[in-house]
Amino acid sequence: QHTKYRLFEMPVGNVAAIIAARRTRRNSKVRPTPVNVAEQRRRQAALAEYARKVKLGKIIRTYDTNNSGKLERDQVVKLLTDMDSSTPPGTLPSDEQVDFLLKLYDKAGDQAIVIDELEELLICWHTYTENRALFEDKLNKYDVSKTGKLSKEELKAYLTDLNGGIEVQDSEVDWVMQEGDILGDGQLNKMELWRVTALWFSYVDSKKSNDCCTLL
């Protein structure tokens, strides 16, 4: 039966209640509770974090051939090889490069990379490979001893160049060497040179900022 016929079969009170409810729905202007800007940003950040975790998890599953839940050294080598667009396909990273990355990002010290360590490792490797030729040129220019690495004296010459020709202090060279010498052999290889370059520019920016504050 149609609704209009059923209405006449209902008690008058029920009919009135139904009509009132329909009028209320038509007349009401229900709007969702507005979300403030901070909450919107929090939600967007949560979605971005979720997407990041999904992407990193997919990489782990792709290269984690023994289902250990992390990338062991040989699996890291495979990942780095596939990511490197600066060399012919299939070119393996050097043992020294792998040692550098594991030393820097393997927080547990088990020669493996878990999902929380993977992103920084990938960013570091991508930045290095994109600028590989630049750092090879820099190393060749300042490696006057032709060891393939920079000594403290050679590092000082390099930092002086970065400093616009103004000689840097020995204490600054010591600090940069200490921070950049990840492998602990008292010299800097190409990947460590990339790291100290970033450290130096960060240090200079911080120093300028402090000088400005002092003047104020």
Side-chain angles (χ1 to χ4, degrees):
Q1 289 183 331
H2 293 292
T3 302
K4 66 179 181 179
Y5 296 118
R6 290 202 301 271
L7 290 175
F8 287 111
E9 298 171 2
M10 296 180 184
V12 175
N14 288 351
V15 173
I18 292 172
I19 292 173
R22 288 179 177 174
R23 284 176 179 171
T24 300
R25 285 198 298 269
R26 285 198 300 269
N27 295 333
S28 65
K29 296 180 179 179
V30 179
R31 293 186 177 88
T33 303
V35 178
N36 61 39
V37 174
E39 178 63 15
Q40 287 179 341
R41 289 176 177 171
R42 187 194 67 78
R43 292 181 182 180
Q44 290 171 352
L47 287 173
E49 176 65 12
Y50 173 75
R52 184 183 72 86
K53 289 286 189 181
V54 168
K55 183 177 180 179
L56 293 173
K58 185 176 180 181
I59 294 173
I60 291 283
R61 289 192 298 273
T62 299
Y63 290 90
D64 178 22
T65 53
N66 59 347
N67 298 317
S68 65
K70 55 189 175 183
L71 299 184
E72 295 161 11
R73 186 183 179 98
D74 61 323
Q75 297 160 348
V76 171
V77 169
K78 172 62 175 167
L79 172 59
L80 298 178
T81 302
D82 291 346
M83 277 194 60
D84 184 5
S85 60
S86 66
T87 57
T91 301
L92 300 177
S94 68
D95 288 340
E96 189 174 62
Q97 289 168 340
V98 179
D99 289 342
F100 170 86
L101 291 168
L102 289 176
K103 185 90 171 179
L104 200 57
Y105 299 110
D106 171 23
K107 307 303 183 187
D110 60 353
Q111 291 289 292
I113 295 294
V114 297
I115 190 170
D116 292 333
E117 301 163 341
L118 180 59
E119 185 174 34
E120 289 187 3
L121 179 144
L122 292 177
I123 291 172
C124 176
W125 181 243
H126 175 74
T127 303
Y128 169 72
T129 55
E130 287 292 300
N131 297 279
R132 182 195 295 270
L134 171 63
F135 289 110
E136 286 180 347
D137 288 344
K138 293 294 185 184
L139 188 66
N140 290 334
K141 179 178 179 180
Y142 292 97
D143 177 25
V144 295
S145 57
K146 301 305 176 186
T147 61
K149 299 182 180 183
L150 295 189
S151 65
K152 185 180 292 186
E153 292 73 20
E154 293 164 342
L155 171 62
K156 183 172 184 177
Y158 174 63
L159 294 178
T160 298
D161 188 5
L162 292 182
N163 204 36
I166 301 173
E167 185 174 354
V168 299
Q169 298 177 16
D170 289 340
S171 59
E172 293 174 321
V173 179
D174 291 339
W175 172 76
V176 172
M177 178 63 81
Q178 182 179 353
E179 292 294 321
D181 181 20
I182 300 300
L183 298 182
D185 59 359
Q187 302 177 90
L188 299 178
N189 61 33
K190 281 178 288 194
M191 291 201 71
E192 291 170 330
L193 184 60
W194 162 79
R195 177 174 168 81
V196 302
T197 303
L199 282 171
W200 179 255
F201 284 127
S202 177
Y203 167 73
V204 170
D205 288 342
S206 175
K207 192 174 180 181
K208 288 180 180 177
S209 178
N210 290 337
D211 289 344
C212 289
C213 291
T214 301
L215 291 173
L216 293 175

